[in-house]
Amino acid sequence: QVQLVESGGGLVQPGGSLRLSCVASGSDIAINTMRWYRQAPGKEREWVAEITSGASPNYAHSVKGRFTISTDNPKKMVYLQMNSLKPEDTAVYYCNADIWSARRLQNYWGQGTQVTVSS
């Protein structure tokens, strides 16, 4: 059974930094693309960033230059380094990935981790 588990959320002051982590688990899996989404209260879930092995990462305009997505492929982990955080970055952040398992490519979601930016 494939699972994604996020960690690293919390409360941070404006201008501060946080690093989110997401680990994929399961037998004989291969990760294609990993993404971060976020959902603020009362708003729809929005795409934040994504990375595919061998390709340049992509970012939403609202976070470009402040957030960095990276992976540790042997550990099957993806990170989101968030700098210069703003109150409008407050949201539940979700890990999302396209993963090969049992010769099928499927999309998976984590349970989310809360990020609150407030003084």
Side-chain angles (χ1 to χ4, degrees):
Q1 184 178 359
V2 178
Q3 285 188 318
L4 297 176
V5 179
E6 304 98 332
S7 60
L11 173 63
V12 63
Q13 292 187 342
S17 298
L18 276 177
R19 190 177 82 152
L20 305 183
S21 301
C22 172
V23 59
S25 62
S27 300
D28 296 323
I29 63 172
I31 299 171
N32 189 4
T33 298
M34 299 194 85
R35 308 174 185 89
W36 289 97
Y37 284 77
R38 67 186 181 185
Q39 187 167 19
K43 295 187 177 181
E44 293 190 354
R45 192 172 297 188
E46 64 172 353
W47 171 79
V48 174
E50 68 180 44
I51 187 166
T52 301
S53 180
S56 299
N58 292 297
Y59 300 94
H61 178 74
S62 58
V63 306
K64 199 168 186 178
R66 299 188 297 122
F67 290 10
T68 301
I69 188 171
S70 61
T71 58
D72 183 333
N73 291 328
K75 294 183 179 179
K76 295 183 173 58
M77 295 193 71
V78 63
Y79 306 98
L80 187 68
Q81 178 67 43
M82 305 185 294
N83 299 328
S84 302
L85 282 161
K86 305 174 182 181
E88 51 264 43
D89 294 318
T90 295
V92 178
Y93 282 72
Y94 296 90
C95 179
N96 173 274
D98 297 328
I99 297 176
W100 286 99
S101 177
R103 294 186 290 179
R104 294 175 61 191
L105 184 64
Q106 292 185 286
N107 186 262
Y108 297 89
W109 289 91
Q111 83 289 351
T113 185
Q114 176 71 46
V115 172
T116 302
V117 184
S118 175
S119 54

